[in-house]
Amino acid sequence: MTPIIATDAAAHCADWRLQIEPLNVQEETAIAAEITHYPQPQAATIEALKIVQQQQGWVSDGKIKAIAQRLQMSPDEVDSVATFYNKIYRQPVGSTVISLCDSVSCWIMGYQGLAQALTQELNIALGETTADGAVTILPTPCLGACDHAPVAMVGDQRAHKLTPASLIELARLAQEQEQSL
Amino acid sequence: MNHGQSSSQAVTLPLSQHIKADGSVTSLAEYQANYGYQGLAKALSMSPSEVVDWVKNANLRGRGGAGFSAGLKWSFVPPLEKLPGQRYVICNADEMEPGTFKDRWLMEHDPHQLIEGLAIAAYAVQADTAFIFLRADYDLCAERLQNAIDEALAAGLLGEQLNEAGFSLTMLMHTSAGRYICGEETALINSLEGKRANPRFKPPFPQVSGLFGRPTVVNNAETLCNLPHILYHGIDWFADLGLGDDNGTKIYGVSGRVNNPGCWELPIGTTVADIIALAGGMQEGVQLRGFLPGGGSTDFLTRDHLGLAMDYGTIQAAGSRMGTGTMILLDDQTCVVGMVLNLIQFFAQESCGWCTPCRNGLPFIRQILTDLEAGLGEHADLEQLLQLCGYIGIGNTFCALAPGAAEPLQSALKYFRDDFVAHIEQGCCPHGNSPQVDMDLEKEARPI
Ligand SMILES: Cc1cc2nc3c(=O)[nH]c(=O)nc-3n(C[C@H](O)[C@H](O)[C@H](O)COP(=O)(O)O)c2cc1C
Ligand code: SF4
């Protein structure tokens, strides 16, 4: 019988070295600083993922491998952590991520209308990115700003008491910003 | 110990005294102008075990939801003589409970209060390292807290040799990558170790073996914010603040269709009606029908309960929990089936997947509710929902996420059963909601 598993593992290993995307200097420095906070380098996994994401916009397979090498873990271990958390993107996202709160207080105050208006305006579904790469819409659990519901994070800014019109305006600004780059 | 010792000026709403209407942050100078960091100085002049006793006697109950005595929790940490070496304190600022925004309010406006409280807790259990575990998306809190930590460090309020006995403290911030389960204290510890945030088996409790296997105390952000004031003003002062059995004040919040949603510090034990009145009452044209007293994982109460005091014992006796103290209001224009579906969707999505009743039960419930909301339900569904609430209830799951998810559902079936029946009999949502029915999910979730 062909040793399928062994062959796959060997191929995987070969891939592993080929596809590694080395950490750049900024990533390396920032991750090294985080490692000093903990008794084990592995504890900095989430920080490392966030640092890479801040630089690259998302975390590619190659960067997962680079983080694994740096923290002395297997790539699968790092990926199991990366895929657990909502805010680590394992696919490219737009320059601006609109995280639209879909939890209970925002739902009562009009989340559904906002989601419908925005997806229609941008002509994409929830979870998708506009063709120009400007905007990704992600529904997100409670943002802890229920006193201003309905809310969204537009990039790292929190937008309060949204209406379909004000939300569309924010998306339009993000698209204009993308064009001017 | 002189418990009654008081610094006379009658502060009645200590936690919010620095919070400014314009939303700006309290600087170190402003904070210190008003006995800031003097509670810590007092603690540092006492022995650690005296601080533990002080807080135990103040009966400060944990504001993270369960209401466990903070001092008692600390007293479970083995003394240094018995178990020398590293220990940790962690501020739980994960705050992802739907409808909850009180910790954000405190941290955004007055970060030094939290830092001082965390330092007091660290001293009490002799931890030389303290972490603030901050949820993702609290970007403004992260910025303001880090600035405040740097300010305190530069002013010698944190760092090396804080008292004659040589107590030193390093304070670090971890911003989460987002998952509700990170708020569960043992899952939080796993997350801080860089792992997937699955809860841990207890015992051992974190106070004995927590972060990196060392004794660890996890306290909610609001709990910690109380400490500087309890140390400075004394136990009797703290006891006098509460209106009923509980001591101190509480940050209460209201969201939903009210005129002035927000949060306020009030004496603990203020009535539900008084809190809703502060929120400006219901918006024009809508009537209050019920409320979740303290976040998405508490049982509904109704208009009959408006006169109740919001404290741990009273709300529990009424069949719910005070939880985080931030209420979510149900009004007559909102479909209760849709509201419960929204909550269950949240819990199903945020389940860590470790144990079967939660991982499989919540999607099953979600599908039944989706059908009901779409007018495709049957009378037998209601009994099945109740049965499922039992299956995911206390004792059947590895942590409290799933039992919490059952609370709004089981109480909605108790108080608002007619709404569920109307969906079945009319074959549609009387409020006109039409969720997408996911037929594949239906097949998967409903064994034939
Ligand atoms: C699913 C789940 C989520 C939780 N989320 C939080 C949270 O965001 N913040 C918090 O302080 N406690 C949360 N808790 C409660 C914590 O496990 C813990 O009891 C609390 O942090 C202890 O602090 P306290 O004693 O000061 O209240 C959560 C519990 C569960 C089961
Ligand atoms: S109850 Fe849910 S969240 Fe808690 S351990 Fe089980 S699967 Fe995970």
Side-chain angles (χ1 to χ4, degrees):
Chain A
M1 231 174 55
T2 359
I4 296 170
I5 294 168
T7 316
D8 275 2
H12 187 73
C13 273
D15 255 358
W16 202 99
R17 305 220 176 275
L18 277 178
Q19 293 178 2
I20 197 162
E21 274 177 65
L23 300 171
N24 64 30
V25 181
Q26 291 96 318
E27 289 166 347
E28 177 59 47
T29 320
I31 292 171
E34 291 295 339
I35 290 174
T36 64
H37 293 166
Y38 302 103
Q40 303 157 0
Q42 292 86 328
T45 309
I46 293 163
E47 277 88 354
L49 289 163
K50 290 182 87 166
I51 287 164
V52 167
Q53 180 161 298
Q54 203 177 21
Q55 293 270 322
Q56 315 292 334
W58 66 296
V59 186
S60 65
D61 289 353
K63 289 286 185 186
I64 290 276
K65 288 164 188 163
I67 292 172
Q69 203 174 42
R70 181 67 183 82
L71 303 181
Q72 297 154 18
M73 297 163 76
S74 78
D76 289 342
E77 249 181 306
V78 175
D79 201 17
S80 80
V81 174
T83 52
F84 186 87
Y85 293 94
N86 295 335
K87 295 281 159 176
I88 302 298
Y89 307 137
R90 288 286 279 113
Q91 291 175 38
V93 291
S95 310
T96 302
V97 175
I98 300 186
S99 305
L100 196 54
C101 175
D102 67 356
S103 290
V104 64
S105 303
C106 286
W107 179 84
I108 292 173
M109 300 305 285
Y111 157 76
Q112 282 169 307
L114 294 179
Q116 199 178 25
L118 189 61
T119 49
Q120 248 165 32
E121 171 71 19
L122 298 179
N123 202 19
I124 51 172
L126 296 176
E128 290 182 354
T129 303
T130 51
D132 60 359
V135 178
T136 301
I137 320 172
L138 290 180
T140 194
C142 185
L143 287 172
C146 322
D147 45 343
H148 305 295
V151 296
M153 294 293 291
V154 179
D156 60 4
Q157 297 294 314
R158 202 168 58 217
H160 291 166
K161 297 198 194 291
L162 289 164
T163 61
S166 67
L167 181 59
I168 286 171
E169 177 62 18
L170 289 170
R172 215 174 44 76
L173 284 175
Q175 283 191 302
E176 272 170 19
Q177 230 169 38
E178 181 79 10
Q179 275 161 20
S180 66
L181 286 180
Chain B
M1 255 185 284
N2 175 7
H3 288 169
Q5 89 135 232
S6 152
S7 319
S8 54
Q9 73 283 50
V11 179
T12 53
L13 301 175
L15 272 66
S16 58
Q17 62 186 315
H18 294 123
I19 295 187
K20 293 177 271 189
D22 67 359
S24 62
V25 64
T26 305
S27 68
L28 178 58
E30 286 168 317
Y31 185 66
Q32 281 188 303
N34 207 1
Y35 72 87
Y37 286 99
Q38 289 182 36
L40 175 62
K42 169 122 178 244
L44 289 171
S45 72
M46 297 159 66
S47 78
S49 67
E50 278 172 343
V51 178
V52 173
D53 287 341
W54 186 279
V55 173
K56 200 153 77 175
N57 291 331
N59 195 21
L60 167 63
R61 301 184 64 175
R63 306 296 199 234
F68 194 78
S69 156
L72 194 58
K73 184 189 279 189
W74 299 353
S75 71
F76 299 146
V77 175
L80 259 186
E81 308 85 72
K82 274 208 193 138
L83 187 64
Q86 181 81 56
R87 52 225 13 238
Y88 297 101
V89 292
I90 306 173
C91 165
N92 189 344
D94 191 54
E95 192 160 68
M96 280 186 72
E97 178 75 24
T100 303
F101 47 99
K102 64 183 182 72
D103 298 339
R104 190 207 85 227
W105 189 67
L106 288 170
M107 295 184 291
E108 251 176 33
H109 295 100
D110 198 1
H112 282 289
Q113 176 170 253
L114 176 68
I115 291 168
E116 186 182 0
L118 185 55
I120 291 169
Y123 178 68
V125 301
Q126 292 288 283
D128 70 1
T129 309
F131 285 97
I132 299 175
F133 189 102
L134 185 69
R135 68 158 291 173
D137 302 306
Y138 276 6
D139 296 310
L140 188 58
C141 288
E143 186 190 314
R144 290 180 170 184
L145 279 166
Q146 191 59 57
N147 286 342
I149 291 173
D150 296 344
E151 268 183 313
L153 197 59
L157 297 161
L158 297 176
E160 305 290 320
Q161 300 286 334
L162 297 175
N163 66 359
E164 278 174 17
F167 175 71
S168 300
L169 179 62
T170 306
M171 196 173 285
L172 298 166
M173 197 151 64
H174 170 91
T175 56
S176 175
R179 251 341 251 283
Y180 170 60
I181 191 60
C182 292
E184 198 281 337
E185 61 181 8
T186 59
L188 183 151
I189 288 170
N190 272 335
S191 190
L192 207 44
E193 290 184 5
K195 299 175 180 154
R196 292 166 73 89
N198 296 115
R200 291 181 179 177
F201 188 81
K202 293 191 271 195
F205 286 89
Q207 293 94 307
V208 177
S209 174
L211 186 63
F212 303 110
R214 302 300 311 170
T216 302
V217 162
V218 181
N219 272 129
N220 169 258
E222 184 187 347
T223 312
L224 295 167
C225 286
N226 276 280
L227 296 171
H229 311 288
I230 293 175
L231 264 293
Y232 183 76
H233 289 299
I235 293 168
D236 295 341
W237 165 86
F238 188 66
D240 286 344
L241 292 180
L243 299 180
D245 290 342
D246 292 321
N247 296 349
T249 61
K250 178 79 192 77
I251 311 296
Y252 294 113
V254 179
S255 65
R257 290 206 175 127
V258 287
N259 288 311
N260 179 27
C263 57
W264 307 271
E265 182 182 20
L266 295 166
I268 197 163
T270 301
T271 66
V272 177
D274 284 348
I275 298 167
I276 296 178
L278 266 179
M282 302 305 288
Q283 287 179 359
E284 207 181 308
V286 300
Q287 295 278 328
L288 178 71
R289 289 190 73 201
F291 59 99
L292 301 169
S297 53
T298 57
D299 285 271
F300 274 103
L301 293 176
T302 68
R303 294 175 67 97
D304 295 341
H305 301 106
L306 288 175
L308 295 184
M310 274 284 271
D311 61 33
Y312 296 99
T314 310
I315 299 297
Q316 187 151 12
S320 185
R321 290 188 304 119
M322 182 162 84
T324 60
T326 41
M327 312 175 193
I328 307 158
L329 306 190
L330 167 69
D331 61 82
D332 62 345
Q333 315 281 307
T334 297
C335 172
V336 65
V337 178
M339 180 168 166
V340 173
L341 170 58
N342 177 277
L343 288 162
I344 290 291
Q345 161 61 24
F346 168 85
F347 292 113
Q349 175 186 311
E350 295 298 315
S351 162
C352 83
W354 186 260
C355 64
T356 310
C358 175
R359 182 185 59 241
N360 290 6
L362 287 171
F364 193 179
I365 293 173
R366 175 178 60 194
Q367 190 57 48
I368 296 173
L369 286 170
T370 305
D371 287 353
L372 275 166
E373 179 71 330
L376 303 172
E378 299 160 14
H379 285 281
D381 289 342
L382 305 188
E383 293 324 305
Q384 179 149 37
L385 284 175
L386 276 179
Q387 199 177 34
L388 283 162
C389 284
Y391 290 156
I392 65 169
I394 292 171
N396 294 335
T397 59
F398 195 61
C399 87
L401 183 143
E407 291 182 19
L409 173 58
Q410 71 198 13
S411 50
L413 285 164
K414 175 170 153 196
Y415 292 120
F416 309 114
R417 200 181 176 92
D418 289 350
D419 291 65
F420 288 79
V421 172
H423 281 73
I424 297 166
E425 292 183 345
Q426 295 176 25
C428 66
C429 171
H431 292 268
N433 286 348
S434 55
Q436 289 279 299
V437 185
D438 184 336
M439 297 313 274
D440 285 340
L441 235 176
E442 184 182 36
K443 272 186 229 130
E444 201 177 285
R446 297 193 127 173
I448 301 160

